[in-house]
Amino acid sequence: MLITLLVLAAALAALAVWARTKRQRFFTARGLAAQQAGWTSAPMDPALEGVANRILSPGANTRMIAGQYAGYDFRAFDHSHATSRTSTATKLHVVAVLLPVVLPSIAVTTDNPVARTLRVPDQQLESGDFNETFAIESPNQRYASAVVHPQLMEWMLQRPHLQWWIDGPYLVTWGLNWWTVESVRAALDDLTAVAQQIPPFVLADYRLS
């Protein structure tokens, strides 16, 4: 019995060492890839941490990088939170581009049939297909229609899993697992396309600062 316990303890210790080594190799390789892309490590932005904690759940926000992409400054970082004290932390990543002005908050997320059944309110736009695919939360219908215009709706229907949120100067999206250069680039392709489709009159008429 004692020998069995010792063997089990040694196996668990070896597994822990292997997991730490694998994790460290991942972060080292990721850091080198980010440097090659011209991105740099940056201290966490408290305002952006607040955005992530509002969109997701309060948790740990770490390992932020900053750079430029398609003419926009951007930030990306890892986020994790646990749904209970005994559950394993959910690993996510957050990517944000900085808009030229501060806009009112608006969230475009994949539609939730449960929330719809419970009559959780969201803005209804002109496209029935869009309303069935996405849910929108914004201060008012006019602002929602101005930001999410027919051309943007059509573009988003080709990307039914895309979710984004404008909060302050940030246009944000998120995804599963820690960020990688590939996942950040994919998110930035989507975010910069959304940012470029925000009409100039929205930036002028609805800007908060």
Side-chain angles (χ1 to χ4, degrees):
M1 183 66 176
L2 178 58
I3 293 176
T4 301
L5 290 175
L6 290 174
V7 170
L8 179 59
L12 291 174
L15 182 61
V17 170
W18 174 83
R20 284 197 302 270
T21 301
K22 182 180 179 181
R23 178 186 173 96
Q24 188 56 52
R25 286 176 178 170
F26 169 78
F27 287 134
T28 299
R30 186 179 75 166
L32 290 174
Q35 286 182 355
Q36 291 172 356
W39 307 340
T40 59
S41 297
M44 281 303 309
D45 178 345
L48 193 50
E49 280 193 273
V51 173
N53 290 339
R54 285 192 292 277
I55 293 175
L56 304 169
S57 291
N61 301 287
T62 57
R63 296 180 289 269
M64 190 168 83
I65 55 167
Q68 287 195 328
Y69 195 87
Y72 291 87
D73 290 334
F74 81 87
R75 310 285 185 266
F77 55 92
D78 295 326
H79 170 93
S80 63
H81 66 266
T83 55
S84 70
R85 292 183 178 180
T86 58
S87 64
T88 302
T90 300
K91 297 178 181 179
L92 302 163
H93 63 275
V94 178
V95 182
V97 298
L98 276 71
L99 297 174
V101 300
V102 175
L103 291 173
S105 176
I106 181 171
V108 180
T109 57
T110 53
D111 193 28
N112 185 334
V114 174
R116 198 175 345 121
T117 301
L118 295 175
R119 300 185 182 278
V120 175
D122 66 276
Q123 302 289 348
Q124 297 293 295
L125 300 183
E126 296 83 357
S127 168
D129 289 340
F130 187 89
N131 294 333
E132 287 295 316
T133 306
F134 296 99
I136 296 184
E137 295 180 41
S138 74
N140 59 67
Q141 183 75 36
R142 180 176 294 181
Y143 176 61
S145 296
V147 175
V148 190
H149 49 81
Q151 291 80 8
L152 181 54
M153 284 191 280
E154 182 178 352
W155 180 85
M156 287 198 64
L157 283 170
Q158 304 304 312
R159 297 157 180 81
H161 301 296
L162 175 60
Q163 304 183 89
W164 52 267
W165 193 308
I166 292 176
D167 192 316
Y170 304 107
L171 172 60
V172 183
T173 192
W174 55 95
L176 291 173
N177 301 313
W178 301 141
W179 65 263
T180 64
V181 168
E182 292 77 16
S183 65
V184 171
R185 280 180 172 150
L188 289 171
D189 283 339
D190 288 333
L191 289 178
T192 55
V194 171
Q196 290 163 359
Q197 293 182 75
I198 298 175
F201 82 87
V202 170
L203 300 178
D205 295 351
Y206 290 96
R207 64 180 297 170
L208 300 177
S209 68

